[in-house]
Amino acid sequence: FGSVPILLLAKPYFLSKQSHHEIEHASDEENHGGGHGEEDDEHGFGEIVIHQAIETIEFVLGMVSNTASYLRLWALSLAHSELATVFWEKAMLSTLNINWFATYIGFAVFAGVTMGVL
């Protein structure tokens, strides 16, 4: 969140200073006969601030979107972990104390349900 004030305030300031320096440099060349007279590249400070505000909004929206995506992945991982635990407890642990054939069937149920979920 510390980068938002820098994007909103510092970057437009430095872009404006850089633009003014280039304009002054170009006008010095014009006075000495070396310039082309192009002033179409000049941007006002207000235009720079508006453009930077739009870029900052896009940056923040991207951060929020990425955070939401990672939270969804985390929630999905947690849900699958809990589901696997329930499958293990109900299909395998409940059959271990009965006999070997029930354990074999329990493993088959556990494997089938697990593969079915995937």
Side-chain angles (χ1 to χ4, degrees), residues 17-39:
K17 287 295 182 186
Q18 180 183 9
S19 176
H20 287 305
H21 177 69
E22 290 173 358
I23 291 170
E24 288 174 3
H25 184 57
S27 65
D28 287 343
E29 287 181 359
E30 274 184 27
N31 291 338
H32 292 81
H36 299 307
E38 293 181 12
E39 300 230 0

Side-chain angles (χ1 to χ4, degrees), residues 49-92:
V49 169
I50 290 172
H51 180 72
Q52 193 58 40
I54 292 170
E55 285 188 9
T56 303
I57 291 169
E58 289 176 355
F59 173 76
V60 170
L61 287 175
M63 281 187 357
V64 170
S65 175
N66 289 339
T67 302
S69 293
Y70 281 113
L71 286 174
R72 281 194 309 268
L73 287 174
W74 174 72
L76 182 66
S77 172
L78 183 63
H80 279 258
S81 172
E82 291 298 318
L83 191 59
T85 302
V86 168
F87 289 162
W88 178 258
E89 289 174 356
K90 298 300 179 188
M92 283 299 296

